Amino acid sequence: MDNGTIKAAIVGATGYGGAELIRLLQAHPQVEVSCVLSSSNSGTPLSASFPHLTDIIELELTAIEPAVIKEKADVVFLATPAGVSSELTPKLLEQGLKVIDLSGDLRLKDGAVYEKWYKRAPASPDILEKAVYGLSDVYGDSVAGQSVISNPGCFPTATLLGLIPAVKEGWIDPATLIIDAKTGVSGAGRGVGLGTHYSEVNESVKAYKVNAHQHIPEIEQVLSETAGSEVVVTFTTHLIPMTRGILSTMYASVNGSKSTQDFIDLYRSFYKDRPFVRIRENGILPATKEVSGSNYCDIGFSADERTGRVTVVSAIDNMVKGAAGQAIQNLNLAMGWDEATGLNFIPMYP
Amino acid sequence: MDNGTIKAAIVGATGYGGAELIRLLQAHPQVEVSCVLSSSNSGTPLSASFPHLTDIIELELTAIEPAVIKEKADVVFLATPAGVSSELTPKLLEQGLKVIDLSGDLRLKDGAVYEKWYKRAPASPDILEKAVYGLSDVYGDSVAGQSVISNPGCFPTATLLGLIPAVKEGWIDPATLIIDAKTGVSGAGRGVGLGTHYSEVNESVKAYKVNAHQHIPEIEQVLSETAGSEVVVTFTTHLIPMTRGILSTMYASVNGSKSTQDFIDLYRSFYKDRPFVRIRENGILPATKEVSGSNYCDIGFSADERTGRVTVVSAIDNMVKGAAGQAIQNLNLAMGWDEATGLNFIPMYP
Amino acid sequence: MDNGTIKAAIVGATGYGGAELIRLLQAHPQVEVSCVLSSSNSGTPLSASFPHLTDIIELELTAIEPAVIKEKADVVFLATPAGVSSELTPKLLEQGLKVIDLSGDLRLKDGAVYEKWYKRAPASPDILEKAVYGLSDVYGDSVAGQSVISNPGCFPTATLLGLIPAVKEGWIDPATLIIDAKTGVSGAGRGVGLGTHYSEVNESVKAYKVNAHQHIPEIEQVLSETAGSEVVVTFTTHLIPMTRGILSTMYASVNGSKSTQDFIDLYRSFYKDRPFVRIRENGILPATKEVSGSNYCDIGFSADERTGRVTVVSAIDNMVKGAAGQAIQNLNLAMGWDEATGLNFIPMYP
Amino acid sequence: MDNGTIKAAIVGATGYGGAELIRLLQAHPQVEVSCVLSSSNSGTPLSASFPHLTDIIELELTAIEPAVIKEKADVVFLATPAGVSSELTPKLLEQGLKVIDLSGDLRLKDGAVYEKWYKRAPASPDILEKAVYGLSDVYGDSVAGQSVISNPGCFPTATLLGLIPAVKEGWIDPATLIIDAKTGVSGAGRGVGLGTHYSEVNESVKAYKVNAHQHIPEIEQVLSETAGSEVVVTFTTHLIPMTRGILSTMYASVNGSKSTQDFIDLYRSFYKDRPFVRIRENGILPATKEVSGSNYCDIGFSADERTGRVTVVSAIDNMVKGAAGQAIQNLNLAMGWDEATGLNFIPMYP
């Protein structure tokens, strides 16, 4: 660390999450990407995997060696599949490295719950305890100074930012929560399969992992803590024919009588110091294109007297706010920098 | 009428609904499209508006004149915007023509409800009474022999086929019903606007007409009748970047203990004689691509013990089962023909 | 064979070409699909591979056994990858079966040319000689009564229909021919890979196999024969983000002075008895959507005095006219039926 | 101007070009967007037209008044339809403002040619003479210090960067040039019409303005100057179903014997000091996704011995390198700043 600049290693650099970290970090004045790592292709230039990085990033992929990483980096971003960071994080911490984990390995405090939903062995309890859940726009304060940050899932980010204020204030009944999420295909990563084959996905929409998505316990863990009692939600994900973006449509019964404007006012107050949450005006609802390429989460409301329910709609770019952008926001918070440092991307429209 | 063949007029032939009627009717062995009408472009060939019909349909567009239609046709399909058929239907009936109305004008039995949601004057009470609601796969029997059939809306079709059996049997609590629908852009018609401008819609998803969609009262009218008591639903529509297809995801609390397989069995029994409703196996949910271009409605289920709710997912092609296909199915039923006549299109995949 | 109805076997039924044959043949009054075969998944229902066929096709996949096929079928469609039909065709012929081959194995008369472009061993010379090249709208007459028909490639179909009349009449200089083709992704089949991964293909366009596409020698073989001298072309394929459709844009220097209307008149005359070639009016050029789902090939022209060149644009649905539709047209021709039998699909628009 | 920072006005701020200028300029350390102007909607916040700018840009739209602009800005970007800047530029120059014109009004040196292709009156000869053609990566040196810069068209940018080195060196025969371009829909702007209606464009590809596109004379003007003799080209544009990106595929006969690697070497040498032109390796061709959101132009080659032709493929983001990005690059050049200032956006992938 020199002059307020730190060096970052990216593990899982051949995936979309890794590529997005590289895109965003290039604009960061205090971070330099010093090494890129992958379990495959070591020794080849990163630009062979990602031609869009030609002439921009000259780094070669290297194998994942904690001691070697230590020589080159101060902080490590783990953009890896489930099961990797539960193994790797303790070794990185031993080396004195800061870890920001974008996988789901460190999000669930209860290892048994992880095992149930992820169908694999959980990280060790001490690592799970040490990891702070980096939902930046809500728990930003608790991230400061931490050395292991668990970056939230893409769906939980969109959903929790849309629900926490209302749940916290007791404005909605958590027992009635139904969440219907729609995602672009990039969330499925770069690994090929029939489910992400162009001709199968284009001109189609379908639900998947219904009542079985591993982001359900993550959402429930946070909402339960927020509500002060156990919350169980119905949560459905849908794959839609676009590359980026998540729209989460959330439904709940309203306690007492609250108007759309009441919700707007509550959320504007709750997020008033957070640079990346935008509350839409009455009558306006967000669209994923309006946040594409940026770290914003846009939220809109419709409270309905007929049904006594509120519909909350939130939109994020799953690759930015739902992954790499929030990870960098967490790094900023952990380092004590302004949380928006290097993240002021205007949405790319159209 | 000769030899069991009838002649059909299509009003609104320059819209997508009109074009789809023409596509499907060409395969119908007992119907000939004898005239195409439009409030604009009369005197020009239909293929000037729709080049894909070049060398296939040589008809010219004519102005809408009930007495003239009578000379050329036995049945009239109205694929017109709201407000047209409430005026036109009485005149067509006077001429002794059969009317199949694809607009929303004749669907709501209570004119005041129409006025509230459609923001315009309703059809006369006697026409509303005369019109039978042609949800073919449920009310097929009541369509036989009728002269005015009101073809259901695209969202109500997908939604009602997915809910009626469970509501009728009392398996779900209608007070808890939440419906989250996703539609392709063709449902918005051929009229241009920023909301259907390619660069705005592509790579984006958004909710629209939240708690204000005119299909809400239509769904409620049918479900209330089915349940035997007033049903009020939360219903949200989303525009997604594809041309055809509607996926309706429906949520409700289950009364008692029912498994996914229980729902499958119930629905298979309910629809056992209906050629166009397909119930998916346990663990499989429908995708809109699997019904594209066809008259099928595919339905799948996930009952969840954790939440006590069932998730029902139904998929249709909005242009076929949600409009022109069901209209032809209704014609078949009205004429006493096999309801599948001319409608055995295999979905176009991929 | 009974009553003018024949039985068809489809080899390669788990691919898109196989699925499309099934979709189209269902509408054919004289063909019944009696068995579906695949090198994998034998013993499972076809609808497990293709859920859109649920309740429509109850057939199980069977392994590829010529003697068994003989018991069940009169004609065999081979929708298989390169290398299969060169082996399989002789065995099917021995059984007295008619063969319609949708692969590239039997298209090139010179085995050495096949070997150069396909990088594999060619079919035996006697089979290559026996196979008739089924570009139906040009060589329809020679298909009648044949027992081995080689169905043209998708790009050659669009391109040759757009060039043959002008080359034949000597209106354009074949030495100047440049062909720039654009294809949807379904042409790449159902096998997964990074090149057809949704997130890579969507919102992108690229050229591929430049100067190396295996359809180049097929185009040259036919044009050389048409011109009466060796023709060498520049031909480039582009992958664009859509599922179906090929647009071929062709450029050549015009011999003498010919107007756009001259070309229109020439082509209308050339194709006057062919039901599936449509020549666009002066000033109008085709779009792939205008042929989607149908067996049409639409062609338009722009002759330019400034440059002395003509631009010919042709559009087909690669799955229909470029594969399954033309294969059925060839079956019709081979059987002596009306070539349009079962193929009168109106394009699905939009 | 203070401290090396200047103020910029954007005329046409409610169009896509205006929005893209705002997105990019936000990252520019030496430019502040001080006012946004439009012929409509003056007095409303820009974010009412573009919700994605909510909470980012608080400016209101103002009417176009040169004297008022002078008070607020040092440089004016004109992102306006044809016909506006020919009128407005002289007035802005009178006020001592620098003008960067993104329209086609000032690109053609010969007013008569403009009139022929644009079907409207040209700008005055003195303005046309004063305007420097800002193809930054070729004519960057001549932009320094200029006060009126005509920003190239999107198609000419992709095409000319792909052709100039080879034409200049005499490696290809300009008389044989054929250019086949493919564009995303954003190039058509935000004005609605059937040609950009989602359901018409999606799942379709078509050619448009064949032999009539107004970018033809712009390409010819530059190539003629480069070649030292009159060049006439065949140029075709295709609309493809994506939002951003242009791929230009260019064909020409090679003079003498040159390999693909020869072309690569020539272009690498020609563009060796230009930060935004990337020459692909042998065997690799560019894709538009690899430049999306960035100011890069990627170029690849395939020289073919069989035909004696070379195929050159270039890819740009039409909104960045084809419009707003190059305009900012030109501002940088005009101001004597590093030409890459504020433009180091990594392509957004996927």
Side-chain angles (χ1 to χ4, degrees):
Chain A
M1 247 180 274
D2 179 29
N3 248 345
T5 298
I6 64 171
K7 290 181 175 160
I10 295 172
V11 181
T14 57
Y16 291 147
E20 190 69 355
L21 281 163
I22 288 165
R23 179 177 81 91
L24 300 178
L25 285 172
Q26 154 129 338
H28 199 294
Q30 292 176 268
V31 183
E32 176 200 350
V33 175
S34 57
C35 65
V36 289
L37 307 98
S38 172
S39 58
S40 58
N41 299 329
S42 78
T44 67
L46 179 58
S47 60
S49 294
F50 281 124
H52 75 282
L53 296 177
T54 304
D55 294 355
I56 301 175
I57 303 289
E58 306 288 354
L59 296 168
E60 269 191 11
L61 289 162
T62 57
I64 304 167
E65 258 314 323
V68 178
I69 298 175
K70 174 58 190 167
E71 289 167 28
K72 298 193 189 162
D74 307 298
V75 61
V76 182
F77 290 94
L78 300 178
T80 46
V84 174
S85 61
S86 57
E87 297 285 331
L88 193 56
T89 301
K91 297 172 190 165
L92 296 169
L93 291 178
E94 267 172 37
Q95 299 285 346
L97 289 156
K98 245 186 219 312
V99 174
I100 300 178
D101 180 26
L102 284 78
S103 85
D105 277 14
L106 310 183
R107 293 177 195 152
L108 301 177
K109 290 303 173 192
D110 183 340
V113 173
Y114 178 89
E115 202 155 357
K116 177 184 166 193
W117 292 86
Y118 282 79
K119 317 284 184 210
R120 61 171 68 234
S124 69
D126 61 307
I127 291 291
L128 292 179
E129 194 180 341
K130 205 173 286 181
V132 60
Y133 186 72
L135 186 68
S136 320
D137 302 283
V138 176
Y139 302 129
D141 295 347
S142 65
V143 171
Q146 296 296 320
S147 58
V148 197
I149 299 156
S150 175
N151 211 52
C154 51
F155 291 116
T157 296
T159 300
L160 293 170
L161 294 179
L163 290 177
I164 284 174
V167 169
K168 185 168 183 165
E169 293 300 312
W171 284 27
I172 57 176
D173 177 1
T176 63
L177 268 170
I178 289 174
I179 302 149
D180 188 293
K182 297 94 185 160
T183 184
V185 185
S186 62
R190 210 182 192 198
V192 303
L194 200 56
T196 52
H197 191 56
Y198 185 88
S199 298
E200 303 281 317
V201 172
N202 188 40
E203 279 292 293
S204 195
V205 53
K206 65 173 181 181
Y208 67 99
K209 288 195 191 175
V210 176
N211 291 321
H213 199 287
Q214 71 277 10
H215 286 170
I216 292 175
E218 183 180 341
I219 292 168
E220 291 180 345
Q221 173 178 285
V222 174
L223 291 184
S224 296
E225 195 182 296
T226 305
S229 61
E230 202 196 346
V231 173
V232 175
V233 301
T234 292
F235 170 77
T236 310
T237 45
H238 297 81
L239 190 70
I240 66 173
M242 63 183 201
T243 303
R244 285 177 180 238
I246 284 178
L247 194 83
S248 185
T249 312
M250 299 159 269
Y251 305 92
S253 296
V254 177
N255 291 324
S257 173
K258 307 289 180 190
S259 68
T260 297
Q261 191 60 48
D262 289 337
F263 277 93
I264 291 170
D265 294 344
L266 172 65
Y267 278 61
R268 286 196 168 151
S269 167
F270 187 90
Y271 289 118
K272 70 177 185 301
D273 298 326
R274 317 315 304 205
F276 294 119
V277 181
R278 302 192 293 188
I279 308 303
R280 286 274 176 258
E281 278 177 43
N282 204 331
I284 309 282
L285 290 166
T288 59
K289 190 183 278 287
E290 292 167 7
V291 297
S292 183
S294 83
N295 199 45
Y296 290 101
C297 175
D298 288 0
I299 307 174
F301 306 88
S302 174
D304 185 29
E305 280 189 24
R306 287 177 68 251
T307 58
R309 294 195 187 100
V310 66
T311 302
V312 184
V313 182
S314 68
I316 63 168
D317 182 324
N318 59 306
M319 300 299 296
V320 189
K321 173 53 89 180
Q326 187 165 224
I328 294 167
Q329 192 176 354
N330 280 322
L331 173 66
N332 290 339
L333 289 162
M335 297 299 295
W337 301 331
D338 183 309
E339 67 182 304
T341 308
L343 287 172
N344 287 313
F345 294 89
I346 291 184
M348 196 163 96
Y349 195 95
Chain B
M1 250 179 270
D2 177 27
N3 245 346
T5 298
I6 65 171
K7 290 182 175 162
I10 295 172
V11 181
T14 57
Y16 291 145
E20 190 69 357
L21 281 163
I22 288 165
R23 178 176 81 91
L24 300 178
L25 285 172
Q26 152 128 337
H28 200 293
Q30 293 177 267
V31 183
E32 176 201 348
V33 175
S34 57
C35 65
V36 288
L37 307 98
S38 171
S39 58
S40 58
N41 299 329
S42 78
T44 67
L46 179 58
S47 60
S49 293
F50 281 124
H52 74 284
L53 296 176
T54 304
D55 294 355
I56 301 174
I57 303 289
E58 306 289 353
L59 297 168
E60 269 192 10
L61 290 162
T62 58
I64 305 166
E65 259 312 325
V68 178
I69 297 174
K70 174 59 190 165
E71 290 166 28
K72 299 192 188 163
D74 307 298
V75 61
V76 183
F77 290 95
L78 299 178
T80 46
V84 174
S85 61
S86 56
E87 298 284 332
L88 193 56
T89 301
K91 299 172 189 164
L92 295 170
L93 291 178
E94 269 173 36
Q95 299 285 344
L97 288 156
K98 246 185 216 314
V99 174
I100 300 179
D101 179 27
L102 284 79
S103 86
D105 277 13
L106 310 183
R107 294 178 195 150
L108 301 176
K109 290 302 173 192
D110 182 341
V113 173
Y114 179 91
E115 200 156 358
K116 176 184 165 192
W117 291 87
Y118 282 81
K119 319 282 185 211
R120 59 173 67 234
S124 69
D126 62 310
I127 291 292
L128 291 179
E129 194 179 343
K130 203 173 289 180
V132 59
Y133 185 73
L135 186 68
S136 320
D137 303 282
V138 176
Y139 302 128
D141 294 348
S142 64
V143 171
Q146 298 295 320
S147 59
V148 198
I149 299 155
S150 174
N151 211 51
C154 51
F155 290 116
T157 296
T159 299
L160 292 170
L161 293 179
L163 291 177
I164 283 174
V167 168
K168 186 168 184 162
E169 292 300 313
W171 284 27
I172 58 176
D173 177 1
T176 63
L177 268 171
I178 288 173
I179 302 149
D180 187 292
K182 297 94 185 158
T183 184
V185 185
S186 62
R190 212 183 192 198
V192 304
L194 200 57
T196 52
H197 190 56
Y198 185 88
S199 299
E200 303 280 317
V201 172
N202 187 41
E203 279 291 293
S204 194
V205 52
K206 66 172 180 181
Y208 68 98
K209 288 196 191 175
V210 176
N211 292 320
H213 199 288
Q214 72 277 11
H215 286 171
I216 292 175
E218 183 179 342
I219 292 168
E220 291 179 345
Q221 173 178 283
V222 175
L223 292 183
S224 296
E225 195 181 295
T226 306
S229 62
E230 201 197 347
V231 173
V232 174
V233 301
T234 291
F235 171 77
T236 310
T237 45
H238 298 80
L239 189 70
I240 66 174
M242 64 184 199
T243 303
R244 283 175 180 241
I246 284 178
L247 194 85
S248 184
T249 312
M250 298 158 270
Y251 305 93
S253 295
V254 177
N255 291 325
S257 173
K258 307 288 180 192
S259 68
T260 297
Q261 190 60 48
D262 290 337
F263 277 93
I264 291 170
D265 293 343
L266 172 66
Y267 279 61
R268 285 197 169 148
S269 167
F270 187 90
Y271 290 118
K272 70 176 183 301
D273 298 325
R274 318 314 305 205
F276 295 120
V277 180
R278 303 191 294 189
I279 308 302
R280 287 272 176 258
E281 279 176 44
N282 203 331
I284 308 283
L285 290 166
T288 59
K289 188 184 280 289
E290 292 167 7
V291 296
S292 183
S294 83
N295 199 44
Y296 291 102
C297 175
D298 287 1
I299 307 176
F301 306 89
S302 174
D304 185 30
E305 280 188 24
R306 289 178 66 250
T307 58
R309 295 195 186 101
V310 66
T311 302
V312 184
V313 182
S314 68
I316 63 169
D317 182 323
N318 59 307
M319 301 299 296
V320 190
K321 173 53 89 181
Q326 187 164 225
I328 294 167
Q329 193 176 354
N330 280 323
L331 173 67
N332 289 339
L333 290 161
M335 298 298 295
W337 301 331
D338 182 311
E339 67 182 304
T341 309
L343 287 173
N344 286 314
F345 295 90
I346 291 185
M348 194 162 98
Y349 195 95
Chain C
M1 248 179 271
D2 178 28
N3 246 343
T5 297
I6 65 170
K7 290 182 175 162
I10 295 172
V11 181
T14 57
Y16 290 146
E20 190 69 355
L21 281 163
I22 288 166
R23 178 176 83 90
L24 300 177
L25 285 173
Q26 153 127 336
H28 199 294
Q30 291 175 269
V31 183
E32 176 201 348
V33 175
S34 57
C35 65
V36 289
L37 307 98
S38 172
S39 58
S40 57
N41 299 329
S42 79
T44 67
L46 179 58
S47 60
S49 293
F50 280 125
H52 75 283
L53 296 176
T54 303
D55 295 355
I56 300 175
I57 303 290
E58 306 289 353
L59 297 168
E60 268 191 11
L61 290 162
T62 57
I64 305 167
E65 258 313 323
V68 178
I69 298 175
K70 174 59 190 165
E71 290 168 27
K72 299 193 189 162
D74 306 299
V75 62
V76 183
F77 290 95
L78 299 178
T80 45
V84 174
S85 61
S86 56
E87 299 283 332
L88 194 55
T89 301
K91 299 172 188 165
L92 296 170
L93 291 177
E94 268 173 36
Q95 299 286 344
L97 289 155
K98 244 187 219 310
V99 174
I100 299 178
D101 179 25
L102 284 78
S103 86
D105 277 13
L106 310 183
R107 294 177 195 150
L108 301 177
K109 290 303 172 192
D110 182 340
V113 174
Y114 178 90
E115 201 157 356
K116 176 185 167 193
W117 292 87
Y118 283 80
K119 319 282 184 210
R120 60 172 68 234
S124 68
D126 62 309
I127 291 293
L128 291 179
E129 194 180 341
K130 203 172 289 181
V132 61
Y133 185 71
L135 186 69
S136 321
D137 302 283
V138 176
Y139 302 127
D141 294 348
S142 65
V143 171
Q146 297 294 320
S147 58
V148 199
I149 298 155
S150 175
N151 211 52
C154 51
F155 290 116
T157 297
T159 299
L160 292 170
L161 293 179
L163 291 177
I164 284 174
V167 169
K168 187 169 183 160
E169 292 300 313
W171 284 27
I172 57 177
D173 177 1
T176 64
L177 268 170
I178 288 173
I179 302 150
D180 188 292
K182 297 94 185 159
T183 183
V185 185
S186 62
R190 210 182 194 198
V192 303
L194 200 56
T196 52
H197 191 56
Y198 185 88
S199 299
E200 303 282 317
V201 172
N202 188 41
E203 280 290 291
S204 195
V205 52
K206 65 172 181 183
Y208 68 99
K209 288 195 191 175
V210 176
N211 291 322
H213 199 287
Q214 72 276 11
H215 286 170
I216 292 175
E218 184 179 342
I219 292 168
E220 292 179 346
Q221 172 177 284
V222 176
L223 292 184
S224 295
E225 196 181 294
T226 306
S229 62
E230 202 197 347
V231 174
V232 174
V233 300
T234 291
F235 170 76
T236 310
T237 46
H238 297 82
L239 189 70
I240 66 173
M242 64 184 199
T243 303
R244 283 176 181 241
I246 284 177
L247 194 84
S248 185
T249 312
M250 298 158 272
Y251 305 92
S253 296
V254 177
N255 290 325
S257 174
K258 307 289 180 191
S259 69
T260 297
Q261 191 60 48
D262 290 337
F263 278 93
I264 291 171
D265 294 343
L266 171 67
Y267 278 62
R268 286 198 170 147
S269 168
F270 187 91
Y271 290 118
K272 70 176 184 301
D273 298 325
R274 318 315 305 205
F276 295 120
V277 179
R278 303 190 294 189
I279 307 303
R280 288 273 176 259
E281 279 175 45
N282 204 330
I284 309 282
L285 290 166
T288 60
K289 188 184 281 286
E290 292 167 8
V291 296
S292 183
S294 84
N295 199 45
Y296 291 101
C297 175
D298 287 1
I299 307 175
F301 306 89
S302 173
D304 185 29
E305 280 189 25
R306 289 178 67 250
T307 58
R309 295 196 185 100
V310 66
T311 302
V312 184
V313 182
S314 69
I316 63 168
D317 182 324
N318 59 306
M319 301 300 296
V320 190
K321 175 51 89 182
Q326 186 164 226
I328 295 167
Q329 192 176 355
N330 280 324
L331 173 66
N332 291 338
L333 290 162
M335 298 298 296
W337 300 332
D338 182 309
E339 68 182 303
T341 308
L343 287 172
N344 286 314
F345 295 90
I346 292 185
M348 195 162 98
Y349 195 96
Chain D
M1 247 180 271
D2 177 28
N3 245 344
T5 299
I6 65 170
K7 290 181 174 161
I10 296 172
V11 181
T14 57
Y16 290 147
E20 190 69 355
L21 282 164
I22 288 166
R23 178 177 82 91
L24 299 178
L25 285 173
Q26 153 127 340
H28 200 294
Q30 291 177 269
V31 182
E32 177 200 350
V33 175
S34 57
C35 65
V36 289
L37 306 98
S38 172
S39 58
S40 58
N41 299 328
S42 79
T44 67
L46 179 58
S47 60
S49 294
F50 281 125
H52 75 282
L53 296 176
T54 304
D55 295 356
I56 300 175
I57 302 289
E58 306 288 354
L59 296 169
E60 270 191 9
L61 290 161
T62 57
I64 304 167
E65 259 313 326
V68 178
I69 297 174
K70 173 59 191 167
E71 289 167 28
K72 298 192 189 163
D74 307 298
V75 62
V76 183
F77 290 94
L78 299 179
T80 46
V84 174
S85 62
S86 57
E87 297 285 331
L88 194 56
T89 301
K91 298 173 191 165
L92 295 169
L93 291 178
E94 268 173 37
Q95 298 286 345
L97 288 156
K98 244 185 220 312
V99 174
I100 299 179
D101 179 27
L102 283 79
S103 86
D105 278 13
L106 311 183
R107 294 178 194 150
L108 301 176
K109 290 302 173 194
D110 182 340
V113 174
Y114 178 91
E115 201 156 357
K116 177 185 166 194
W117 290 88
Y118 283 81
K119 319 283 184 210
R120 61 171 68 232
S124 68
D126 61 309
I127 291 292
L128 291 179
E129 193 181 342
K130 203 174 288 182
V132 60
Y133 185 71
L135 186 68
S136 321
D137 302 284
V138 176
Y139 303 128
D141 294 348
S142 65
V143 172
Q146 296 296 320
S147 58
V148 199
I149 299 156
S150 175
N151 211 52
C154 51
F155 291 116
T157 296
T159 300
L160 292 171
L161 294 179
L163 291 177
I164 284 174
V167 169
K168 185 168 184 162
E169 293 300 312
W171 284 27
I172 58 177
D173 177 1
T176 64
L177 267 170
I178 289 175
I179 301 150
D180 187 293
K182 298 93 184 159
T183 183
V185 186
S186 62
R190 211 184 192 195
V192 303
L194 200 56
T196 52
H197 190 56
Y198 184 88
S199 299
E200 303 281 317
V201 172
N202 188 41
E203 279 291 292
S204 195
V205 52
K206 65 172 181 182
Y208 67 99
K209 289 195 191 175
V210 176
N211 291 321
H213 200 287
Q214 72 277 10
H215 286 171
I216 292 175
E218 183 180 341
I219 292 168
E220 292 179 345
Q221 172 178 284
V222 175
L223 291 184
S224 296
E225 194 181 296
T226 306
S229 62
E230 202 196 347
V231 173
V232 173
V233 300
T234 290
F235 170 77
T236 310
T237 46
H238 297 80
L239 189 69
I240 66 173
M242 63 183 200
T243 303
R244 284 177 180 238
I246 284 177
L247 194 84
S248 185
T249 312
M250 298 159 270
Y251 305 93
S253 296
V254 177
N255 290 325
S257 174
K258 306 289 179 190
S259 68
T260 298
Q261 190 60 48
D262 289 337
F263 278 93
I264 291 170
D265 293 343
L266 171 67
Y267 278 62
R268 285 198 170 148
S269 166
F270 187 91
Y271 290 118
K272 69 177 186 300
D273 299 324
R274 319 314 305 204
F276 295 119
V277 180
R278 303 191 294 188
I279 307 304
R280 287 273 175 258
E281 279 177 43
N282 204 330
I284 309 281
L285 290 166
T288 59
K289 189 184 279 287
E290 292 168 7
V291 297
S292 183
S294 83
N295 199 45
Y296 291 100
C297 176
D298 287 1
I299 306 175
F301 307 89
S302 174
D304 185 29
E305 280 188 25
R306 288 179 67 250
T307 58
R309 294 194 187 101
V310 66
T311 303
V312 184
V313 182
S314 69
I316 62 168
D317 182 323
N318 60 306
M319 302 298 297
V320 189
K321 173 53 87 180
Q326 188 165 224
I328 294 168
Q329 191 176 355
N330 280 323
L331 173 66
N332 290 339
L333 290 162
M335 297 298 295
W337 300 332
D338 182 310
E339 67 183 303
T341 308
L343 286 172
N344 286 313
F345 294 89
I346 291 184
M348 196 162 97
Y349 196 95

